Structure formats: C-alpha cells, structure tokens
Amino acid sequence: MKLCRNCNNEFKPIKSTQVVCSYKCAMAQVKDKRLTKDKIQTAADVKKILQRNINKLVRLIDTEQNCISCGGNCKKPQAGHFYSSGGNINMTFNLLNIWVQCYKCNMMLSGNVRSYQDSLINMYGLCFIDDLTALKQVQHKYTKQDLELMNKGVLKLIKEHEPKKLSDVQRYLTRIAYNNAITACFNGV
C-alpha cells in the first residue's frame, strides 16, 4: 500500500511508479506542479517573456512596414534593436530602440547598424540618434516585480493595438505613448 501524494489516502498501486490514487488526484497534482512552476519563475525567465511580448508589440506597431535597415520586404519580421539588448538593459525594452527588420539584416548582418542609423536619421533626424544615445546612458535596475508589471502593461497594449499600417510619425508617437504606458505600470502612475 502507498499514500497518495495528493489526498494522503492509502491505495494499492497498479504500477510501482504510481504516486496518486486516481485520475482526479493525478490532475490535481499536475495543476499544483504548474502553479509551483509559475511561482518559481526567476527574473531572467520573466525578462525573456517580456522581451518576447515587446517584440510582438513592435511587430504590431510596424505592421506592413519594410525593414528599417535595407528597406526590403519583411516576410517574417524581426524586432531589431538599434542598440543591442545584450549589454543595454535600459534599451532592451525601449520601443524607440526597436524597429522591424528583415531576418538577413537582424541576424546575418548583426543588425546592419549603419543602414539602421541612416534610416532613423532620414525619418526622424540626427537629434533622434542623440536622444537614443542619451537614453542609453541612463541605467535601470529592473526587479522581477518591475518586469512582471511591465509585461502586464505590454500584454494589455498588444490586446488593444489595432494592427494597421502607420505613418513614420504615427509609429514614433505610438512608441512614445506605449513606452510611457509600460513604465507607468511599475512607477505607480
């Protein structure tokens, strides 16, 4: 006889590896494991989820847009960072730093940064690059809770955003509004 791991009733196992007495207890056990897994997510896990959702939001904002770097058609659009997300946590989630790129420019040409910069300057002027560079200097330390709150805000924006082609000015203004909405989530605004 064994004790069920879920309800603590004694039962006679059919197999030696059986740890629960019934299908009902097995389903409860699986549900408990899922809840436990969610509880033990690390800040790095939450950061990956947030990055995935930010990238999805960028693709929605840039619906039907060509690659920021080469101007080519984006069959499978990528969310390309002007300043890489590797060493720039403060720029990783900043929508002004992330624009749609084609796979070739983003992955094979390491972001095709020179053309990326030229396109940003053509659309928004040299001041835009200066502002991005200044934003890069501001250091942020995000806690797990900050990242979770930001992710909730991003999910809300994804749900509310109507995918349609926007002008360059609309894309810029949308990014600013969304950045403000995302940071307001953890700043308590």
Side-chain angles (χ1 to χ4, degrees), residues 9 18 30 42 65 103 130-131 138 144 165-166 168 187:
N9 290 334
Q18 186 177 344
V30 168
T42 65
Q65 297 292 338
Y103 177 84
D130 294 340
D131 290 346
V138 178
K144 179 182 171 186
K165 188 168 183 172
L166 301 174
D168 291 342
N187 285 334

Side-chain angles (χ1 to χ4, degrees), residues 43-81:
D45 295 332
V46 177
K47 182 181 170 190
K48 284 179 192 173
I49 294 166
L50 175 58
Q51 185 63 62
R52 215 173 18 245
N53 289 329
I54 286 275
N55 292 349
K56 183 176 183 176
L57 183 59
V58 167
R59 288 190 294 271
L60 284 173
I61 294 169
D62 290 346
T63 297
E64 297 180 33
Q65 297 292 338
N66 290 332
C67 173
I68 189 81
S69 297
C70 71
N73 190 344
C74 296
K75 292 178 184 167
K76 289 188 176 182
Q78 304 253 315
H81 291 73

Side-chain angles (χ1 to χ4, degrees), residues 172-186:
Y172 174 76
L173 295 174
T174 300
R175 281 177 162 79
I176 290 174
Y178 285 4
N179 272 341
N180 291 336
I182 293 165
T183 55
C185 291
F186 70 89

Side-chain angles (χ1 to χ4, degrees), residues 6 12 14 17 19 59 80-81 92-93 100 120 126 132 137 145 150 179 185 188:
N6 187 58
K12 185 176 181 180
I14 296 170
T17 56
V19 294
R59 288 190 294 271
H81 291 73
T92 301
F93 309 120
V100 162
L120 288 174
L126 190 56
L132 266 185
Q137 305 310 316
Q145 185 180 14
M150 288 170 66
N179 272 341
C185 291

